[in-house]
Amino acid sequence: MPTEERFREAYEALMNARDTGERTSTLNTYFPNHEDLHAFCDYTKARYDELCPPTLSRNEFVEKVDSQNLLQKSILHEFTQSMELEIRPWIPIGFDKHHLYRLVPEPYGLQPQSVALPEDCDYATLLPECILGLNSTVQPKEPTVPTSRRQANLSEESVRTAESDDDAPGFVFFQLGELEAAPYPQKDDAEGWPCVDGVFQGDDYDWKPTGFYLVAKLNPFGSADGIYAIYNMFPEDEFTGTRDQITHDKWGLLPTVSTEVETQFSCARIGRRLGDLGENHRMVWEEQIEHPVELVCAVRNRIGAMRVTVDDSDRVK
C-alpha cells in the first residue's frame, strides 16, 4: 500500500498535468497496481470531502445573505463555493397572479459589460465577479431596441474612476442567482391571487429561467441592503459556453399570460431582505429602470467596496 506521502505527490502531479493524456500517464506511473489506484481514489475522495464546504439549507442560505459581511474574504470564499455545489437549495421568492418564483443560487451569472479596467486601478483590490457594480445612469449602446426604452442624454459607457461609491447613481451588489418562474394554474382566492400555502413543495412545476438574476445590494460594510432583480444582457449559451450581448427587443420581460400587459425593465427592487421574501410573498417590482444599465467590476476601498468606474456626467441626477 502506498504511503500518504506518495498519495500527496501523485495528487500534486495530477493538479499540474496539462491534459488528459498526461493525467493518465501520471496515474499509470504512480499506481500501476489496481488495488493501489483504488486506494488513491479513496484518498482523493476523502480529501475532497474534507475541503468541500458544507451544503447549505434554505434557511442557512437566507441567513447568510441577510446577516453576513459578504465582503469578508473568508465568508465570501466559503459561501460562493457552497453556491456552486452540485446539490444546492433553491429558495422560494414569491408569486404573482399567474406564476411562482424561485431563486437558484449561482454567484457568477452576471458579468461586467467590459473587463477593461482604468490604468490607475489597483488590481490587488479587484473583487471577484460574484461582486459587481451597477451604474443606473449609463446606457450601453446595445441593445438599441425598443427605442421606447432608451433614454436621451445618457452616457453609453462609464469612464470616470470612482473616488467613492456615493458620487454617481448605482450600487455594488453580490450575485445571489438565477430567478426562475413556473405557471401556477391553481384555484385563486377572492381577490384573484393564487392560494399558495404549501404549493412550493410540489415537484411537478415547469420551472424556466426568467432571464433575471437576483442580487443583494451591499452597503459600505458588506451587508445586504435590498434585493434586486437585474436582467442578464450576456446570457451563457448552454451548448458553447459563450456569452453574446442581447440585441433583440424582447429583453427584460417577465413571464405573462395573454390577458396581461407586458412590463419591460432592466432592474427592479423586489424586497428589503431575502428573509422578507418567500412562499407567501406577493411580488412587487419597485424602482424599475426601463433602459439597459451598465454592469462594471468592483474593488475594495478603505471602508468596503466601490464600483471601478461611474458616470462622468451631471446630466442625470
Side-chain angles (χ1 to χ4, degrees):
M1 174 71 69
T3 63
E4 185 170 342
E5 182 179 358
R6 184 70 169 173
F7 284 152
R8 285 199 300 267
E9 290 177 1
Y11 186 87
E12 294 299 327
L14 282 177
M15 293 300 101
N16 294 325
R18 291 168 294 184
D19 52 39
T20 302
E22 188 170 335
R23 284 190 286 274
T24 300
S25 176
T26 299
L27 288 173
N28 290 335
T29 300
Y30 277 89
F31 309 111
N33 181 286
H34 177 76
E35 286 74 17
D36 291 347
L37 179 60
H38 185 76
F40 177 68
C41 291
D42 291 340
Y43 168 83
T44 56
K45 182 181 183 304
R47 181 161 182 171
Y48 173 81
D49 291 341
E50 179 182 344
L51 298 176
C52 185
T55 300
L56 297 177
S57 68
R58 291 175 181 172
N59 289 339
E60 289 171 334
F61 183 92
V62 172
E63 190 275 334
K64 279 187 174 292
V65 172
D66 287 344
S67 66
Q68 299 289 325
N69 176 358
L70 297 176
L71 292 174
Q72 186 173 324
K73 291 182 179 180
S74 58
I75 294 174
L76 183 64
H77 177 70
E78 181 178 339
F79 193 28
T80 53
Q81 278 193 317
S82 68
M83 292 172 68
E84 294 184 292
L85 294 175
E86 183 176 350
I87 300 176
R88 46 191 164 173
W90 57 264
I91 315 298
I93 293 299
F95 63 94
D96 58 24
K97 289 192 175 183
H98 299 286
H99 293 85
L100 305 176
Y101 293 89
R102 72 177 186 179
L103 165 67
V104 179
E106 165 52 59
Y108 297 102
L110 300 173
Q111 70 170 31
Q113 251 78 9
S114 172
V115 295
L117 302 178
E119 293 183 0
D120 57 350
C121 176
D122 182 0
Y123 282 79
T125 66
L126 187 66
L127 286 161
E129 288 188 4
C130 57
I131 296 179
L132 296 174
L134 178 146
N135 290 326
S136 60
T137 55
V138 179
Q139 179 176 235
K141 184 177 181 179
E142 298 289 350
T144 60
V145 289
T147 55
S148 61
R149 288 294 180 268
R150 297 198 67 80
Q151 301 293 318
N153 301 320
L154 291 187
S155 303
E156 292 184 350
E157 182 181 5
S158 60
V159 295
R160 179 164 62 87
T161 303
E163 297 178 359
S164 72
D165 207 49
D166 299 320
D167 53 4
F171 54 85
V172 171
F173 62 82
F174 174 81
Q175 300 194 47
L176 299 178
E178 190 168 28
L179 182 66
E180 294 186 341
Y184 178 62
Q186 303 298 323
K187 183 178 179 180
D188 296 343
D189 64 17
E191 298 179 1
W193 288 88
C195 301
V196 296
D197 287 343
V199 300
F200 273 92
Q201 306 309 316
D203 57 3
D204 56 349
Y205 295 109
D206 185 20
W207 292 103
K208 292 183 178 178
T210 62
F212 285 91
Y213 275 72
L214 295 191
V215 307
K217 174 184 175 182
L218 300 180
N219 65 22
F221 306 102
S223 299
D225 186 26
I227 306 299
Y228 288 75
I230 299 176
Y231 193 76
N232 185 9
M233 293 293 185
F234 289 86
E236 181 177 346
D237 186 288
E238 62 177 320
F239 300 107
T240 66
T242 58
R243 291 175 178 262
D244 295 320
Q245 188 171 12
I246 286 178
T247 57
H248 58 70
D249 63 353
K250 297 300 182 182
W251 55 268
L253 295 174
L254 292 170
T256 59
V257 296
S258 58
T259 58
E260 293 180 318
V261 177
E262 289 186 326
T263 301
Q264 187 173 29
F265 55 88
S266 63
C267 178
R269 186 177 186 271
I270 65 169
R272 185 176 66 88
R273 300 166 63 251
L274 192 58
D276 294 337
L277 310 177
E279 295 186 6
N280 297 306
H281 172 72
R282 293 185 180 184
M283 298 295 292
V284 179
W285 310 87
E286 301 177 310
E287 302 176 19
Q288 292 183 13
I289 301 176
E290 295 186 346
H291 62 82
V293 294
E294 181 190 50
L295 302 185
V296 297
C297 295
V299 294
R300 296 185 184 277
N301 61 8
R302 290 185 301 104
I303 301 176
M306 66 181 185
R307 293 161 285 170
V308 168
T309 55
V310 295
D311 185 16
D312 67 344
S313 171
D314 294 323
R315 288 171 291 186
V316 179
K317 292 295 183 185

